[in-house]
């Protein structure tokens, strides 16, 4: 039976997104695969979007929906900063995301995680799942790969982690989701470390991620896996 692939379908991110608080800030992580059904439209997309200098959002669901919500929130936060003369708090940014998601819940198919740092509350993580609910949590996971991670986080997450411990936890969790969830993958997780001021992101290619049960090591081509000789160059 022939399987037809609709390449004109909206791009949806079969996704793993994660936000974790630690003792001094937050770590956000995501895989980098954007898919349209069974077709991988982009294997190196960035699902962590900057809203302000101190707040970022992890995007899952429809890529178009999550991008337009991020763009609107970024614009409103910029106006907010100009009017007040100081950066918006993480809670204000998260509530703007919640407001747009809830008021347009019949049209949007996106779940988001807002994370950042401000001088009032320190590092904070807010989950805004499909429908526009807002929940403040010490850690949040979302996307199709999250169903494989709840038990892992219940066991591995602990309060008062250092930045290195939190980043290592996010790296392990994203690699585990990539191993189990066919809709998550790509080049590896994009981890962004935030401490007071937004820091540069770290990219982990697939061959630098830990392997899990029955996973094969990364190869350059199918010929490497089969052990076949390279074809002669013409």
């Amino acid at each position: 039976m022939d399987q037809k692939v609709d390449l004109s379908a909206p791009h949806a991110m079969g996704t793993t997104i994660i936000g974790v608080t630690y003792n001094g800030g937050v770590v956000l992580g995501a895989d980098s695969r954007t898919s349209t059904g069974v077709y991988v439209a982009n294997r190196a997309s960035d699902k962590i979007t900057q809203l302000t200098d101190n707040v970022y959002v992890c995007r899952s669901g429809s890529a178009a929906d999550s991008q337009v919500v991020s763009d609107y929130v970024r614009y409103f936060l910029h106006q907010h900063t100009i009017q007040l003369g100081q950066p918006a708090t993480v809670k204000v940014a998260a509530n703007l995301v919640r407001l747009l998601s809830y008021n347009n819940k019949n049209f949007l198919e996106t779940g988001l995680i807002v994370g950042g740092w401000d001088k009032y509350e320190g590092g904070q993580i807010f989950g805004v799942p499909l429908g526009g609910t807002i929940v403040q949590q010490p850690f949040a996971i979302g996307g199709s790969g999250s169903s494989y991670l709840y038990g892992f986080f219940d066991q591995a997450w602990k309060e008062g982690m250092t930045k290195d411990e939190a980043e290592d936890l996010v790296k392990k969790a994203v690699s585990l989701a990539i191993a189990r969830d066919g809709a998550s993958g790509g080049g590896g997780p994009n981890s962004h470390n935030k401490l007071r001021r937004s820091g540069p992101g770290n990219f982990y290619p697939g061959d630098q991620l830990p392997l899990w049960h029955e996973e094969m090591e990364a190869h350059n081509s199918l010929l490497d896996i089969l052990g076949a000789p390279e074809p002669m160059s013409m």
Side-chain angles (χ1 to χ4, degrees), residues 29 39 51 57 59 64 88 92 105-106 113 115 117 119 139 158 160 163 168-169 186 196:
Y39 171 70
L51 298 179
V57 61
R59 303 179 291 109
V92 166
K105 60 182 178 294
N106 293 329
I113 295 174
W117 184 96
K119 62 182 180 181
F139 66 85
K158 60 183 180 180
K163 185 182 77 169
D168 187 58
L169 173 61
R196 293 181 179 262

Side-chain angles (χ1 to χ4, degrees), residues 55-171:
V55 184
Y56 285 66
V57 61
C58 296
R59 303 179 291 109
S60 69
S62 167
D65 290 353
S66 65
Q67 286 171 356
V68 74
V69 170
S70 300
D71 289 343
Y72 271 111
V73 171
R74 187 187 304 111
Y75 169 77
F76 289 135
L77 290 177
H78 179 66
Q79 299 300 314
H80 178 88
T81 300
I82 292 175
Q83 292 175 3
L84 295 186
Q86 62 180 8
T89 64
V90 184
K91 184 177 292 186
V92 166
N95 272 288
L96 273 175
V97 171
R98 188 270 311 167
L99 185 65
L100 283 172
S101 297
Y102 180 77
N103 287 343
N104 299 279
K105 60 182 178 294
N106 293 329
F107 311 102
L108 297 177
E109 296 182 3
T110 181
L112 304 125
I113 295 174
V114 180
W117 184 96
D118 61 57
K119 62 182 180 181
Y120 302 104
E121 301 290 341
Q124 300 155 77
I125 294 290
F126 292 87
V128 186
L130 187 68
T133 301
I134 184 170
V135 183
Q136 183 174 5
Q137 301 169 290
F139 66 85
I141 50 181
S144 57
S146 64
S147 59
Y148 301 91
L149 299 178
Y150 285 100
F152 174 75
F153 266 91
D154 287 341
Q155 186 273 330
W157 186 84
K158 60 183 180 180
E159 194 167 355
M161 289 187 295
T162 65
K163 185 182 77 169
D164 290 339
E165 289 174 333
E167 185 172 347
D168 187 58
L169 173 61
V170 171
K171 181 179 176 181

Side-chain angles (χ1 to χ4, degrees), residues 15 22 27 33 94-96 163 170 211 234:
T15 299
Y22 68 88
V27 173
R33 175 175 294 173
N95 272 288
L96 273 175
K163 185 182 77 169
V170 171
L211 296 178
M234 301 299 291

Side-chain angles (χ1 to χ4, degrees), residues 1 9-10 34 53 64 82 105-106 153 156 175-176 184 192 204 213-214 220:
M1 181 181 293
T34 298
D53 288 344
I82 292 175
K105 60 182 178 294
N106 293 329
F153 266 91
S175 63
L176 176 60
S184 298
H192 290 256
Y204 299 95
H213 180 61
E214 293 183 342
N220 293 327

